[in-house]
Amino acid sequence: MTKIKTFNGASFWKNAYAHQKGNLLRKVNVPDDQIMHLVNKEYQNLPTPLKFEIETSGIDKKDIM
């Protein structure tokens, strides 16, 4: 049985700069025209499916820094 790797999106979002948030959103295939709008939102105000995608994507923090 393989453990699913999760990403702590809320913690990352709180401490990240806009370009780091943009890198994360690109990794989960958010269109560029939506990224600028989303990086300025609080993490808890992001759409639930997007938060789920971020947290279950298996992305490593070093990949987006």
Side-chain angles (χ1 to χ4, degrees):
M1 182 179 206
T2 306
K3 182 179 179 197
I4 296 173
K5 183 177 177 184
T6 60
F7 182 79
N8 188 338
S11 176
F12 170 80
W13 204 263
K14 179 181 175 187
N15 299 308
Y17 293 106
H19 72 278
Q20 295 166 327
K21 293 175 185 178
N23 290 343
L24 172 61
L25 294 172
R26 280 186 193 88
K27 291 273 188 189
V28 293
N29 300 318
V30 173
D32 285 341
D33 61 334
Q34 292 180 20
I35 289 175
M36 188 179 250
H37 173 70
L38 292 171
V39 297
N40 295 318
K41 286 189 165 200
E42 301 253 345
Y43 188 77
Q44 65 267 17
N45 294 331
L46 293 178
T48 301
L50 177 57
K51 290 189 290 188
F52 179 79
E53 182 66 27
I54 289 170
E55 292 167 9
T56 61
S57 64
I59 292 173
D60 194 324
K61 192 174 179 178
K62 67 180 178 175
D63 296 334
I64 50 181
M65 300 303 271

